[in-house]
Amino acid sequence: MSLGPLMVDIAGTELSAEDVRVLSHPIVGSVLLFTRNYSNPRQAAALTAAIRALRTPHLLIAVDHEGGRVQRFREGFTRLPAARLLGRRFDEDRRDALALAQSVGWLMASELRAVGVDFSFAPCIDLDYGVSEIIGDRAFHSDPDTVAALAVATMTGMREAGMAAIAKHFPGHGAVVADSHIALPVDRREFVDLEADIRPYRLLIDNNLPGIMAAHVVFPAMDALPASLSKRWITGVLRGEMGFHGCVFADDLTMAGASAFGDAMARVDLALAAGCDVLPICNDRHSVELVLGRFGANVGSAASQARLVRMRARGEPPADLRADPHWQETAARIAGLSVIPPLVLTEGQS
């Protein structure tokens, strides 16, 4: 059975009979885990093993685990620093900050791989314009070249641990005040004025970036649809002009920034037509059921399925991570950084 484009969630720390039925549908290709799905590393490993056992090839398993305010698994995991702290370190010592970003990316990926997660939606490469509360300290920096350098270092560390990186939120969420989880952000800049936001993506693509998540932000100068649902953005700019050949994820289609463009089926149709490979529908099982009822097995191109398969974690996960000197050194460095209090997000936010 091939992997379909739909990414769904599950209710608790174990699979229910309903979860098994939904995850067995051929249009489903991946599962997004949340804080409610986690209690400790042993439980998480058992849950991911149960998900993997359902299908061959196994469903991909993802989580939002970028660090700082957005880290779904906490107990038994290293508390990762907010991206802004790495940006501040970059201003003090560029070489040390890049080495630290690479180590943090490796540690984050290694800890997740140890419990059976394939990939994390990280890094966040939105620029810090000082206006977006939902981005805020999730941004590395206001300077695009600094963001690009730190993002490449983070991606390199993740790759060393066998995990694919997913940069977000294309082409940029940092310059709008509105939060796309609860409203529809509109960025009225002309395309030429977005170059700073797009520049980090160009460098990451040149370094073989595996995945990109598109933002629910409307850029009227380009399209009346948000980037996540826009063929002009995904097929035209991202794949055409920028030459991106990796996996494109829409942001969660249940978010307010997408819900303004029709019901669940309409949003799915728009995202597929735009060129997205993965369509997350989380915390809305009714909409998932509607999509399951409409589609059969043959959804998404062979090329899209191949891109999705390449998001699978590579190599063997670490057997005794905490005995690794690299983990010990990185964990000690992280512990010495300032602690940012957790942001309370509603489930589904990324």
Side-chain angles (χ1 to χ4, degrees):
M1 182 184 294
S2 61
L3 297 176
L6 191 61
M7 172 178 276
V8 301
D9 61 325
I10 58 176
T13 54
E14 298 179 348
L15 292 179
S16 67
E18 179 182 319
D19 290 330
V20 171
R21 176 181 59 81
V22 168
L23 299 184
S24 298
H25 194 286
I27 194 179
V28 176
S30 49
V31 180
L32 182 59
L33 299 181
F34 294 94
T35 300
R36 67 173 182 270
N37 305 126
Y38 180 83
S39 58
N40 58 66
R42 179 174 295 180
Q43 170 273 324
L47 176 60
T48 59
I51 293 171
R52 289 169 184 269
L54 292 176
R55 303 249 302 255
T56 302
H58 73 73
L59 294 166
L60 298 177
I61 302 171
V63 67
D64 275 319
H65 204 85
E66 66 191 54
R69 300 177 295 160
V70 182
Q71 181 173 333
R72 301 302 189 195
F73 303 163
R74 292 182 178 269
E75 188 65 33
F77 273 73
T78 302
R79 300 295 178 94
L80 300 171
R84 178 180 289 169
L85 295 179
L86 295 173
R88 288 175 178 169
R89 183 59 185 154
F90 187 94
D91 290 337
E92 299 166 352
D93 186 329
R94 183 181 189 275
R95 180 177 296 181
D96 182 65
L98 293 176
L100 180 57
Q102 184 169 335
S103 292
V104 169
W106 172 85
L107 183 145
M108 177 268 287
S110 296
E111 290 190 343
L112 289 175
R113 291 216 52 217
V115 298
V117 172
D118 284 292
F119 59 86
S120 170
F121 285 111
C124 176
I125 64 169
D126 299 308
L127 301 188
D128 185 5
Y129 285 97
V131 299
S132 174
E133 291 186 3
I134 193 60
I135 301 302
D137 61 9
R138 298 167 67 188
F140 286 114
H141 209 277
S142 59
D143 174 63
D145 294 322
T146 300
V147 170
L150 288 168
V152 168
T154 301
M155 177 177 71
T156 300
M158 295 172 68
R159 184 179 292 154
E160 289 172 352
M163 179 176 285
I166 301 171
K168 60 186 184 184
H169 306 79
F170 179 82
H173 199 311
V176 289
V177 175
D179 173 4
S180 59
H181 303 102
I182 58 176
L184 175 60
V186 178
D187 189 327
R188 300 192 180 280
R189 290 177 294 170
E190 297 293 326
F191 179 72
V192 67
D193 298 321
L194 299 172
E195 178 54 33
D197 300 74
I198 294 174
R199 194 183 311 163
Y201 289 97
R202 297 189 191 279
L203 183 59
L204 284 163
I205 290 169
D206 287 344
N207 283 271
N208 299 314
L209 173 68
I212 287 176
M213 174 180 278
H216 295 322
V217 177
V218 174
F219 300 84
M222 288 289 289
D223 198 341
L225 293 170
S228 54
L229 306 179
S230 168
K231 187 172 184 178
R232 186 170 184 186
W233 271 115
I234 304 303
T235 301
V237 175
L238 186 56
R239 294 215 186 276
E241 179 197 325
M242 298 174 66
F244 180 63
H245 301 296
C247 195
V248 177
F249 296 75
D251 209 340
D252 193 333
L253 294 176
T254 66
M255 289 162 52
S259 63
F261 298 90
D263 61 13
M265 288 310 313
R267 286 171 251 159
V268 164
D269 288 341
L270 286 169
L272 285 173
C276 292
D277 299 297
V278 181
L279 318 175
I281 300 181
C282 299
N283 305 298
D284 186 354
R285 186 53 63 87
H286 174 68
S287 291
V288 170
E289 295 286 3
L290 291 177
V291 175
L292 297 185
R294 172 174 167 181
F295 290 106
N298 298 319
V299 179
S301 66
S304 183
Q305 291 182 11
R307 288 191 288 265
L308 185 55
V309 167
R310 288 198 290 270
M311 299 304 298
R312 193 182 312 283
R314 304 294 181 183
E316 291 298 319
D320 188 7
L321 184 59
R322 290 174 183 262
D324 187 324
H326 187 20
W327 180 90
Q328 295 171 359
E329 179 183 353
T330 303
R333 284 290 315 272
I334 290 173
L337 296 174
S338 300
V339 176
I340 299 294
L343 173 69
V344 178
L345 294 175
T346 59
E347 296 288 78
Q349 296 181 334
S350 57

